[in-house]
Amino acid sequence: LRRVNCQQVIEKIGIMSFNIRTASRWAESDGGDLRFGRSWRDRKSRVAKSIEISKAEIVGTQEGLAWQLDELVTILGSNWKRVGVGRYGDLSDEDEHTAILYDSTNIELIDSTDFWLSNQPQKQASIAWGASLPRIATVAHFRHRNVPEEKIIVINTHLDHASQSARTHSAKLLRKTAIALQAAVVMGDFNAPKDEEWFTEMTKDSTLLDAWPLATIKKTGS
């Protein structure tokens, strides 16, 4: 989603959301990644290639572990950087991130922060509203070389897969935060279709708009 009055800024920047799938031990074994030939070692180069082909300069990722994200940034090249902490902050096998990657060739990072999708958003690993796991959002404040007078604030997240209540309450928090920060983009893996309540909540009063139908260039991947 994007803010209603920032079309000109967004059109000058390639922005992408990408669930890169965790490389946790569960995903590799019980999740079937090794068995079906989709382990991280087999697909990391393809993930990087997808980003390169998209020409995105800012990429909101979901599910990445710290070492996994480091490998991806290394493949992308020395101009690529990342921000964002893990949901537990312990570098464990379950410490998924909503990291934001950016190409520092034209993108300058001003500041970044993280908050949890709960009624205690500054409390690390906090859970609320029936969520199955701690859910997190990463915020990055950027400036682009081609639009130096504009600060570009991006929020990237991953909503709960199990609880509709958690998704709805999380959407309320994300919308409130986006409005307060004047964020240009809110992106992520929302784990639900747009006919669910989270989307109605997020786009209430049209401060945030569905970016897809408004985009002049549309690219998808699987």
Side-chain angles (χ1 to χ4, degrees):
L1 301 104
R2 69 158 179 84
R3 203 172 76 241
V4 65
N5 58 348
C6 61
Q7 180 77 3
Q8 287 184 324
V9 176
I10 291 175
E11 284 185 346
K12 295 177 182 176
I13 305 169
I15 300 177
M16 179 185 195
S17 176
F18 198 162
N19 186 325
I20 65 172
R21 184 167 169 82
T22 181
S24 69
R25 288 186 293 274
W26 178 90
E28 295 282 280
S29 57
D30 293 354
D33 288 0
L34 283 172
R35 188 163 65 254
F36 296 111
R38 60 182 188 220
S39 69
W40 177 245
R41 70 168 179 258
D42 295 323
R43 60 190 166 84
K44 60 186 177 182
S45 60
R46 298 197 299 272
V47 170
K49 189 66 175 178
S50 295
I51 293 172
E52 291 169 359
I53 291 170
S54 77
K55 301 190 185 308
E57 296 175 282
I58 298 172
V59 181
T61 67
Q62 300 87 38
E63 292 198 11
L65 303 175
W67 64 267
Q68 187 180 2
L69 292 161
D70 288 342
E71 288 190 358
L72 177 57
V73 166
T74 298
I75 296 169
L76 288 170
S78 59
N79 52 314
W80 280 86
K81 316 293 180 186
R82 72 173 176 92
V83 295
V85 302
R87 62 187 176 194
Y88 293 110
D90 60 2
L91 299 180
S92 70
D93 199 49
E94 301 296 325
D95 196 31
E96 295 181 11
H97 294 56
T98 52
I100 299 175
L101 281 54
Y102 64 99
D103 183 350
S104 64
T105 305
N106 286 317
I107 303 289
E108 174 193 358
L109 178 68
I110 301 170
D111 192 18
S112 69
T113 188
D114 304 88
F115 64 94
W116 280 259
L117 304 182
S118 77
N119 48 18
Q120 296 178 290
Q122 301 309 314
K123 183 179 179 181
Q124 191 172 56
S126 54
I127 303 176
W129 311 311
S132 58
L133 297 160
R135 295 293 179 174
I136 193 171
T138 297
V139 184
H141 301 232
F142 295 116
R143 183 176 290 114
H144 195 281
R145 188 186 304 275
N146 295 337
V147 213
E149 69 283 0
E150 291 276 359
K151 184 190 286 187
I152 304 154
I153 299 175
V154 175
I155 301 176
N156 180 50
T157 194
H158 191 180
L159 299 190
D160 196 68
H161 66 287
S163 170
Q164 180 170 334
S165 175
R167 289 192 292 273
T168 300
H169 281 88
S170 297
K172 291 178 182 178
L173 177 60
L174 287 161
R175 179 177 171 277
K176 178 181 177 181
T177 304
I179 291 172
L181 295 176
Q182 294 188 306
V185 173
V186 180
M187 61 179 165
D189 181 343
F190 299 111
N191 261 322
K194 289 188 286 188
D195 60 2
E196 200 180 272
E197 192 174 352
W198 75 269
F199 185 77
T200 303
E201 188 62 45
M202 196 86 85
T203 55
K204 186 168 61 179
D205 80 13
S206 298
T207 302
L208 292 173
L209 304 174
D210 185 354
W212 180 255
L214 300 170
T216 53
I217 300 175
K218 299 179 173 72
K219 294 181 181 180
T220 62
S222 59

